Amino acid sequence: QVQLMESGGGLVQPGGSLRLSCVASGIDFSLFGMYWYRQPPGKSREFVARITRDEITKYGDFVKGRFTVSRDNAENTVYLQMNDLQPDDTGVYFCNAYLSEFRQPTYNYWGPGTQVTISS
């Protein structure tokens, strides 16, 4: 059974930091691209960051150098270090594992999400 479980969310003041973690089980973690998405209140889910299995990273435009995604294949874990958090960063943050290769089935798994609230 595949499971992704996020942790590390919480309430922080503007300018603060959080480190999110997502532990995966039931998959060959090292093969998957790992993604972070978020859903602000009343808005659609949006892309935050990605790290490929070759550790190539990409970020949403709003990140502007504030976030860093990393992975530890030995621990089946992907991280999102978030610095200089602002109220607009409030939302539920989701972990996603995605694998799609030519002429192979596509695998797409989601965690339940972790709440991040930025408020003074």
Side-chain angles (χ1 to χ4, degrees):
Q1 181 179 359
V2 178
Q3 186 173 24
L4 301 180
M5 185 58 62
E6 303 94 339
S7 62
L11 171 64
V12 297
Q13 293 185 344
S17 297
L18 284 173
R19 188 193 195 203
L20 305 184
S21 300
C22 171
V23 180
S25 60
I27 61 173
D28 190 342
F29 182 81
S30 65
L31 297 181
F32 279 73
M34 298 301 299
Y35 295 72
W36 287 97
Y37 288 81
R38 72 183 186 184
Q39 188 162 12
K43 297 183 179 180
S44 301
R45 193 171 297 190
E46 62 184 1
F47 169 75
V48 176
R50 174 212 71 196
I51 183 166
T52 68
R53 60 187 183 186
D54 298 320
E55 301 198 10
I56 299 171
T57 59
K58 183 178 180 179
Y59 298 92
D61 291 341
F62 63 87
V63 169
K64 297 181 180 178
R66 300 179 299 135
F67 298 176
T68 301
V69 61
S70 61
R71 64 190 296 160
D72 183 341
N73 289 344
E75 298 294 331
N76 286 0
T77 302
V78 60
Y79 302 98
L80 184 67
Q81 176 67 43
M82 304 188 294
N83 300 325
D84 191 25
L85 286 162
Q86 301 301 319
D88 285 348
D89 295 314
T90 294
V92 180
Y93 283 68
F94 298 91
C95 173
N96 171 251
Y98 184 81
L99 175 61
S100 180
E101 296 182 332
F102 181 64
R103 293 187 176 179
Q104 297 297 319
T106 295
Y107 300 94
N108 190 21
Y109 304 109
W110 292 89
T114 185
Q115 177 69 44
V116 171
T117 303
I118 314 303
S119 176
S120 55

